[in-house]
Amino acid sequence: MTSTLFHNIGQLVTNDPEHDGTKLGLIENAALLVEDGVIAWAGPDSDAPTHHIKKKIDAQGKAVIPGFVDSHTHLIFAGDRSQEFRARMLGESYTAGGIAHTVEKTRAASNQLLTSIAQGLFNEALQSGTTTIEIKSGYGLTVVDEARSLEIAQALSDETTFLGAHVVPVEYKKNPKDYVDLICGPMLDAALPFSKWIDVFCDKGAFSVDDARTILKAGMAKGLLPRLHANQLQEGHGVRLGVELGVASVDHVSHLSEKDIEALSASTTVATLLPGAEFSTRSPYPDVRPLLEASITVAIASDCNPGSSYTTSMPFIIAIAVREMHFSPEQALWAATRGGAKALCRDDIGHLVEGARADFCLLSSDSYIHLAYRPGVNLVEQVWRDGLHIK
Ligand code: NIG
Ligand code: FE
């Protein structure tokens, strides 16, 4: 058995309310015991176990937080859309239409190229503290290209999502119903071996609520778990569809009515906000306060994709969530760790409790508040995943 004691931790964020009665479960002057890749104990340094410790690591008074759980990314693509971004910054507005450009580049790319781009982004995310990452397909939009996208994603993460219903590809624009049939039939079958989740972009310029229901139900019937892009570009029935189907998470949710909030509040569905998308599309930021006041579980994620949010940095997402969406620093950190885990229905990650995976980050500062207070600076000094030192 390997056992490592991290001691002299100035501030330990456990996300275990047992410690201090708050959601972050803070312990000042703490220690953390890791055995065989899982958390064996967390508590005050003065109570730290002394027996059978093989190795001791001095955290030098710095903060330790759970690794980030990025529950929403689109890492499988080729090409970039910097010109589209530039045009937006000069006044154009964002539409789902730009996705077609990435689809063209992705279809033309070799497996080797797609793998190296995704692996590069995955490594980049690790460097800023992401220890679990969900990865969607959605830039292939043919049976073969969706299946290979998901196979590449699965080599990087267990949290893979079939998003054949991202947009209707150009060749089906005249008969979109045929594309829905393709998704629910051969494309779903080809995606199944490589997917855990099924998702639909249900919005203006993408799929209707009825099509989204048909597609999610087809995936669920074959054993995939549902999640949904909803209410990103306008208000609509997407969120309520998500609640009706019991999806794990509705994502974006930038335009919510009172009815949507009521529906979410009475459900177990997580609301995942994606601040990078508002940043990069220069759209109004939603306010998290009505969601939190209604006791809705909130996650934040990067939405890393080449169109609407080309960042892998969860600390950057935390900084925008705090500055622009009225999260407190503690709410944002919880949403980026435990909230992400809830959005993926995972109880083994996102918190540092006995038996959880030893996924955590040592910061170069003595407080998690610095994640929002020092935007654009990578404060993640060390990353440990499954108890292994990977940065
Ligand atoms: O999550 N909303 C749909 N899909 C992506 C955008 C994809 C793109 O613009 O390439 C998103 O923001
Ligand atoms: Fe997305």
Side-chain angles (χ1 to χ4, degrees), residues 62-85:
K62 296 170 185 175
V64 168
I65 62 169
F68 298 119
V69 179
D70 190 351
S71 61
H72 184 138
T73 80
H74 306 249
L75 298 193
I76 315 299
F77 64 86
D80 88 21
R81 305 214 318 256
S82 51
Q83 289 304 330
E84 182 189 314
F85 173 77

Side-chain angles (χ1 to χ4, degrees), residues 226-364:
R227 46 200 317 105
L228 188 62
H229 279 70
N231 303 43
Q232 174 184 4
L233 304 174
Q234 60 182 19
E235 266 193 33
H237 288 264
V239 165
R240 276 165 278 164
L241 170 69
V243 170
E244 173 196 319
L245 296 181
V247 302
S249 175
V250 283
D251 294 33
H252 283 285
V253 295
S254 310
H255 298 272
L256 291 179
S257 66
E258 270 177 32
K259 279 197 176 142
D260 295 327
I261 295 193
E262 271 169 35
L264 280 170
S265 178
S267 77
T268 55
T269 297
V270 174
T272 299
L273 300 181
L274 304 169
E278 272 76 35
F279 177 88
S280 191
T281 61
R282 191 171 270 154
S283 303
Y285 291 98
D287 186 334
V288 75
R289 288 174 294 187
L291 295 173
L292 294 173
E293 279 157 20
S295 302
I296 294 163
T297 304
V298 174
I300 52 175
S302 74
D303 193 19
C304 181
N305 76 78
S308 65
S309 181
Y310 201 2
T311 181
T312 52
S313 170
M314 289 296 279
F316 175 64
I317 295 302
I318 288 176
I320 322 177
V322 169
R323 173 63 181 83
E324 304 289 348
M325 292 179 167
H326 298 279
F327 283 80
S328 67
E330 28 290 327
Q331 286 161 348
L333 177 56
W334 191 92
T337 51
R338 193 76 190 113
K342 297 248 181 214
L344 294 174
C345 301
R346 294 275 299 268
D347 212 32
D348 59 329
I349 54 174
H351 52 176
L352 302 176
V353 300
E354 200 183 319
R357 264 173 42 170
D359 291 358
F360 56 90
C361 306
L362 175 79
L363 303 183
S364 56

